[in-house]
């Protein structure tokens, strides 16, 4: 099947809507080596709109696994200076940043979790400017995906490699509204407008807390900071440049009060994190902190993920996605959080987005903490949405408002 038109349309979508690359702006593309051909399409699309220069940051699953299994132990306590200067430098410059997220979901299975934790801690220090600017929308950034064989055969077990790749391409094109007719850019602009209407409806409520329940056993209360802001669709970089951080996106999100989460929540889908699949996640919260973490599979990796720092065991994001939505209706477990989180209501432990509090993007770390937002070197989404999920909102003036009924928006 010839999908040349879809490939080019997808690349244009990422450049023109995902990043909205401006004339004279630099573009950094982080990409697996297997996807180099698609990176070239994105680079061509960027130059077509006047990009100053496209620079590459290549990744490779095989070499990454080899490193974590065989490199000297002290390697995981440092980040090369050149790598830090590369990412921090372009971030400070305001370059656009495209990440092509495609990897084997179990690429790091069997790796010592301590190595993963130490490497992430080292990276957080060395790349502090990059991560701070990204979380504060200091530059336009977008995460998107294309299939690779090791991922495709996991998403479509029982299929041969070629068939699995074709099926995953079809699912992704459906999720990102690419048909090959050249109209994906205009369809996405309409989609962003639709999400904004729901954002406006939620912001008008001035909610004080949310109460989640479903038949899995979730019974969770999440308080929201005063002055919290719901966001979704596109955002604005420090320069005012609009961009869409995730393609696809179906979510509307805000930040919880970092010490205002209590109860139990059950994950509804497996989580792929640090090259491992974690299944059957259950968290118990008290005063905002995870006091008990369990998983049917991958519990050691889960506990490592929430131990990176003090904020890793607290929530940083509350995101709403209807069960009856384009990606959810595919009834496909992607084993890729970019897609799975946009098929389900989800929460994230770790760092909160500064845009989720009024004036947050101009606040210092200390001011954000004082406003009730969580701070961490990590941000990990996990899915909690189900067909019977109920979310009841309570406003600051004492009203009770159904937000979700039977897994879908009631607004």
């Amino acid at each position: 099947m010839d999908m040349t038109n879809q490939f080019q349309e997808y690349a244009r979508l990422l450049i023109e809507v995902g990043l909205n690359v401006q004339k004279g702006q630099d573009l950094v593309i982080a990409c697996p080596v297997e996807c180099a051909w698609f990176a070239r399409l994105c680079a061509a699309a960027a130059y077509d709109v006047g990009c100053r220069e496209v620079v590459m940051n290549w990744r490779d699953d095989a070499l990454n696994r080899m490193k974590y299994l065989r490199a000297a132990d002290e390697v995981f306590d440092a980040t090369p200076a050149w790598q830090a200067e590369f990412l921090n430098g372009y971030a400070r410059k305001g370059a656009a940043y495209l990440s092509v997220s495609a990897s084997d979901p179990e690429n790091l299975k069997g790796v010592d979790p301590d190595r993963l934790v130490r490497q992430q801690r080292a990276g957080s220090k060395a790349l502090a400017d990059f991560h701070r600017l990204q979380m504060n929308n200091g530059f336009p950034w977008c995460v998107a995906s294309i299939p690779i064989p090791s991922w495709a055969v996991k998403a479509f077990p029982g299929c041969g490699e070629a068939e699995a790749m074709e099926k995953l391409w079809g699912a992704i094109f459906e999720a990102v509204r690419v048909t090959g007719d050249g109209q994906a850019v205009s369809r996405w602009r309409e989609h962003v407008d639709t999400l904004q209407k729901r954002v406006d409806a939620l912001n008008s409520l001035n909610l004080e807390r949310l109460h989640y329940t479903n038949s899995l056993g979730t019974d969770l209360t999440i308080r929201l900071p005063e002055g919290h802001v719901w966001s979704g669709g596109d955002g604005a970089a420090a320069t005012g440049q609009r961009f869409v951080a995730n393609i696809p996106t179906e979510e509307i999100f805000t930040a919880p009060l970092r010490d205002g989460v209590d109860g139990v929540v059950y994950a509804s889908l497996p989580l792929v994190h640090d090259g491992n699949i974690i299944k059957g996640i259950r968290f118990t919260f008290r005063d905002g902190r995870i006091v008990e973490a369990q998983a049917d599979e991958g519990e050691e990796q889960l506990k490592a993920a929430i131990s990176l720092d003090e904020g890793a065991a607290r929530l940083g994001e509350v995101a709403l996605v209807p069960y009856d939505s384009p990606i959810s209706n595919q009834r496909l477990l992607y084993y890729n959080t970019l897609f799975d989180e946009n098929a389900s209501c989800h929460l994230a432990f770790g760092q909160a987005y500064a845009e989720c509090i009024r004036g947050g993007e101009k606040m210092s770390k200390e001011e954000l903490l004082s406003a009730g937002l969580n701070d961490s070197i990590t941000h990990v989404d996990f899915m909690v949405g189900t067909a019977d999920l109920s979310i009841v909102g309570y406003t600051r003036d004492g009203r009770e408002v159904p937000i979700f009924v039977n897994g879908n928006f009631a607004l």
Side-chain angles (χ1 to χ4, degrees):
M1 181 186 298
D2 184 4
M3 294 188 283
T4 301
N5 288 343
Q6 287 101 313
F7 296 150
Q8 293 176 340
E9 185 178 353
Y10 191 19
R12 279 190 55 231
L13 172 66
L14 300 182
I15 297 303
E16 295 182 26
V17 175
L19 293 169
N20 187 21
V21 172
Q22 300 295 295
K23 186 174 182 179
Q25 187 173 34
D26 289 327
L27 169 63
V28 177
I29 302 179
C31 183
V33 291
E34 296 150 286
C35 306
W37 65 273
F38 185 70
R40 296 184 195 112
L41 289 181
C42 293
Y47 283 125
D48 285 344
V49 297
C51 175
R52 176 180 175 274
E53 183 183 16
V54 177
V55 291
M56 295 303 306
N57 185 19
W58 297 108
R59 300 191 302 263
D60 180 67
D61 267 358
L63 285 173
N64 202 35
R65 179 172 178 81
M66 203 181 302
K67 169 186 170 179
Y68 275 102
L69 290 175
R70 302 180 63 181
D73 195 56
E74 66 270 14
V75 165
F76 303 99
D77 294 313
T79 296
W82 66 265
Q83 188 178 68
E85 181 52 37
F86 176 83
L87 289 172
N88 290 334
Y90 277 108
R92 289 190 292 261
K93 191 178 180 181
Y97 183 82
L98 174 63
S99 176
V100 179
S101 170
S103 63
D104 179 347
E106 297 184 283
N107 187 52
L108 299 182
K109 187 175 183 177
V111 166
D112 181 358
D114 180 63
R115 288 191 162 198
L116 296 169
V117 167
R118 287 160 51 208
Q119 183 74 98
Q120 190 165 349
R121 285 173 176 162
S124 73
K125 294 177 182 178
L127 304 175
D129 278 1
F130 175 83
H131 293 306
R132 174 181 56 81
L133 288 166
Q134 183 177 37
M135 294 301 288
N136 289 3
N137 291 342
F139 57 86
W141 56 279
C142 180
V143 183
S145 289
I146 70 169
I148 59 173
S150 57
W151 171 27
V153 296
K154 185 67 180 180
F156 292 96
C159 293
E161 188 176 287
E163 182 184 3
M165 285 287 287
E166 185 173 333
K167 285 187 173 182
L168 187 52
W169 264 119
I172 289 175
F173 281 147
E174 182 179 346
V176 301
R177 296 170 166 80
V178 167
T179 66
D181 65 357
Q183 299 303 308
V185 168
S186 61
R187 276 192 292 272
W188 264 87
R189 287 176 177 150
E190 290 175 8
H191 177 50
V192 166
D193 288 343
T194 299
L195 289 174
Q196 186 59 51
K197 291 174 183 175
R198 195 157 273 159
V199 166
D200 292 342
L202 280 164
N203 279 327
S204 70
L205 292 175
N206 193 21
L207 293 166
E208 188 274 333
R209 69 187 187 278
L210 301 169
H211 183 213
Y212 287 57
T213 54
N214 66 13
S215 59
L216 290 179
T218 292
D219 186 351
L220 189 72
T221 297
I222 301 174
R223 292 167 56 205
L224 303 175
E226 287 194 46
H228 72 273
V229 176
W230 292 91
S231 298
D234 64 353
T239 59
Q241 182 177 343
R242 308 299 298 184
F243 69 97
V244 180
N246 289 171
I247 289 185
T249 185
E250 302 290 338
E251 69 176 295
I252 294 166
F253 63 93
T254 192
L257 189 66
R258 71 185 302 272
D259 60 358
V261 183
D262 291 277
V264 179
V265 64
Y266 285 69
S268 56
L269 294 172
L271 169 66
V272 175
H273 180 62
D274 274 345
N276 286 271
I277 297 174
I278 306 172
K279 297 180 179 179
I281 295 172
R282 304 175 298 283
F283 287 133
T284 300
F285 288 85
R286 187 177 303 126
D287 296 329
R289 185 171 178 79
I290 297 171
V291 294
E292 187 174 358
Q294 298 173 299
D296 295 335
E297 182 179 315
E299 187 171 304
E300 185 181 11
Q301 286 76 20
L302 180 66
K303 289 182 175 178
I306 63 171
S307 70
L308 281 167
D309 57 17
E310 198 276 336
R314 297 178 183 272
L315 292 185
E317 181 185 0
V318 177
L320 304 179
V321 180
Y323 191 78
D324 181 17
S325 64
I327 302 176
S328 176
N329 288 337
Q330 292 181 357
R331 298 297 181 260
L332 171 65
L333 178 59
Y334 275 88
Y335 291 100
N336 181 309
T337 301
L338 174 63
F339 294 90
D340 292 334
E341 73 168 1
N342 281 297
S344 170
C345 281
H346 55 274
L347 305 170
F349 55 85
Q351 179 71 33
Y353 291 104
E355 68 184 283
C356 293
I357 197 80
R358 200 172 298 121
E361 287 159 319
K362 295 181 180 179
M363 291 183 183
S364 66
K365 180 187 292 190
E366 293 72 24
E367 289 171 328
L368 289 169
L369 279 169
S370 179
L373 269 62
N374 194 36
D375 178 55
S376 177
I377 63 173
T378 191
H379 179 97
V380 179
D381 300 281
F382 62 99
M383 287 60 74
V384 301
T386 58
D388 66 348
L389 178 65
S390 166
I391 305 177
V392 178
Y394 297 87
T395 67
R396 294 186 187 276
D397 60 5
R399 289 177 295 133
E400 181 178 313
V401 183
I403 307 297
F404 263 53
V405 174
N406 292 326
N408 289 304
F409 275 105
L411 296 176

